[in-house]
Amino acid sequence: MYTIREVSKLMKVNQLTDKKSELLRWINEEKIQCEATDEGTFRIPKNEVQRLFEAKWKPVVFQQIKQYEMTIQTMLSQLNDPYAGALTKIESLHGLIRWGFAALASYQFRMEHDVVSAKQLYYFALQVSEVYEKYVRQALTQYPYIAYLPASLKDKVLWALFSQRFDLAYHMAEHYEPNGFMESNKIDLLIKYLLLKKDREATELLKQLAQEDTEINVEIIDAILSHDQKRVNELLYIEADAKYKYYTQEMIHLPYQILCDDLLLYGWIAQCRGIPVTLKHPIMAEECFKKHRLVYPDLSFLPDEFKVLISNAM
């Protein structure tokens, strides 16, 4: 049984405990099943909280999907505009990477749980990132002041592995050279070492990162380097459980699954190194770590000047 304050926090509605409170209004209108206490307050059973949450999240996720679809259409319209300059096109390509296909995949997966569709959208993100980087390098000769914000190797490897373009993941890892000593560059370098099975270099770099406040999960990577299948899967489950509790606030069952980038990245790197992943958790289906028969969609939505920049389409 949950209090009005607990449920309102989860539902992100008005937390004021008066007649104007949204939850109390629903209670007064008998739209919510609850029990009155001797103190004059209400308690809402768990199954009712679950029902309310499911009724609330669907339109929210649907709206997010529509927003990302509109963003993608806007960016594509700018790319196809014959009067758009190089800077506008660069911003549009960057928008497709940052707010486009990968983000859309995440929200569509919450609604439909379609792994194949998510993989195809990640494939789009991967291809557009290549177009963006090549186009910017061309434009830099004319506009040397352009702000260049390429996707990290970590992101690109994730997109490649999840979309089953393992050849591209290895190719990018082989040709990656860090630019500076920022934490993000160290993480990208670690991803390179893990994929290419340069375990000595990976172990040394992992020791450095373990001393820093880093975003990577040192324990999982250490288990991958040790080729400990049982420990890898146990740690992936612990990581999934932590994310699940974060999203649910330890109150109810999450009514949808999530594409967790870190879990996908660690899991697929482990499998590329011969470690089977058998993660079964409510937050993300085991199917996310299986290979599928994929039909890679073409990139007909891109103008011809960008299509010629793609060297790895299928």
Side-chain angles (χ1 to χ4, degrees):
M1 302 290 283
Y2 298 100
T3 66
I4 296 293
R5 182 174 294 277
E6 288 173 332
V7 178
S8 62
K9 180 181 178 182
L10 178 68
M11 302 292 292
K12 292 182 173 59
V13 298
N14 190 346
Q15 295 187 31
L16 298 176
T17 54
D18 56 29
K19 292 296 182 181
K20 295 181 181 179
S21 165
E22 192 171 357
L23 279 174
L24 286 174
R25 177 168 57 81
W26 291 344
I27 290 173
N28 291 333
E29 294 173 357
E30 298 184 349
K31 293 181 179 179
I32 297 178
Q33 296 179 10
C34 63
E35 295 181 9
T37 66
D38 294 338
E39 293 79 18
T41 59
F42 297 96
R43 293 291 185 272
I44 303 175
K46 184 174 183 178
N47 62 340
E48 185 68 356
V49 175
Q50 185 75 45
R51 183 186 69 81
L52 289 171
F53 188 66
E54 291 185 14
K56 185 176 179 66
W57 76 262
K58 286 185 178 179
V60 172
V61 174
F62 183 77
Q63 183 62 31
Q64 288 286 353
I65 290 173
K66 290 302 178 185
Q67 287 180 357
Y68 282 118
E69 288 177 341
M70 289 177 60
T71 298
I72 290 172
Q73 289 301 320
T74 300
M75 298 297 103
L76 292 178
S77 295
Q78 292 175 349
L79 290 178
N80 284 280
D81 184 353
Y83 300 104
L87 296 181
T88 298
K89 293 178 180 179
I90 287 171
E91 290 177 356
S92 298
L93 288 169
H94 183 255
L96 285 175
I97 298 170
R98 185 170 182 181
W99 303 289
F101 298 114
L104 177 61
S106 176
Y107 280 92
Q108 276 193 350
F109 184 77
R110 296 186 187 193
M111 184 71 75
E112 302 170 2
H113 296 171
D114 187 341
V115 177
V116 171
S117 177
K119 288 185 175 186
Q120 290 173 330
L121 286 170
Y122 270 43
Y123 171 75
F124 279 152
L126 178 65
Q127 299 291 17
V128 172
S129 69
E130 182 192 18
V131 171
Y132 170 72
E133 292 179 22
K134 289 184 177 179
Y135 187 75
V136 169
R137 284 196 290 269
Q138 290 181 2
L140 281 172
T141 59
Q142 186 176 358
Y143 304 99
Y145 52 84
I146 291 175
Y148 179 36
L149 300 170
S152 66
L153 179 68
K154 178 183 176 183
D155 286 341
K156 291 188 290 187
V157 164
L158 167 64
W159 299 336
L161 293 180
F162 188 53
S163 63
Q164 298 176 201
R165 288 303 306 268
F166 307 110
D167 56 327
L168 297 183
Y170 289 119
H171 177 79
M172 291 185 294
E174 288 174 357
H175 292 83
Y176 173 75
E177 293 296 335
N179 181 18
F181 297 96
M182 295 187 299
E183 179 186 312
S184 58
N185 292 327
K186 291 181 181 179
I187 293 173
D188 284 347
L189 192 57
L190 179 62
I191 299 300
K192 170 179 179 170
Y193 292 153
L194 288 170
L195 269 182
L196 301 182
K197 297 183 179 180
K198 295 186 176 182
D199 291 2
R200 183 177 60 82
E201 293 90 338
T203 301
E204 290 300 317
L205 184 53
L206 186 63
K207 290 178 181 177
Q208 295 180 31
L209 291 170
Q211 304 300 318
E212 303 173 8
D213 184 17
T214 179
E215 64 182 46
I216 65 169
N217 190 311
V218 174
E219 287 187 296
I220 292 179
I221 294 176
D222 182 62
I224 291 173
L225 287 169
S226 301
H227 205 81
D228 188 335
Q229 178 185 349
K230 180 180 178 181
R231 187 160 169 254
V232 166
N233 282 281
E234 287 176 348
L235 290 170
L236 285 174
Y237 189 91
I238 291 172
E239 179 75 6
D241 216 37
K243 292 183 181 297
Y244 188 77
K245 290 177 180 178
Y246 169 79
Y247 281 106
T248 62
Q249 301 179 41
E250 302 187 42
M251 289 179 62
I252 61 170
H253 296 296
L254 202 64
Y256 52 77
Q257 296 174 0
I258 296 174
L259 288 178
C260 300
D261 286 353
D262 287 346
L263 292 175
L264 286 173
L265 181 64
Y266 298 141
W268 276 103
I269 287 177
Q271 295 198 134
C272 286
R273 292 173 59 95
I275 304 172
V277 171
T278 57
L279 177 67
K280 294 181 180 180
H281 194 281
I283 200 170
M284 199 164 69
E286 183 183 12
E287 188 182 2
C288 290
F289 297 101
K290 293 182 178 179
K291 293 181 181 179
H292 297 81
R293 185 183 297 275
L294 289 183
V295 176
Y296 292 99
D298 62 35
L299 302 172
S300 57
F301 54 83
L302 288 177
D304 290 340
E305 67 174 312
F306 298 116
K307 290 179 184 176
V308 298
L309 299 177
I310 301 172
S311 59
N312 54 44
M314 293 186 69

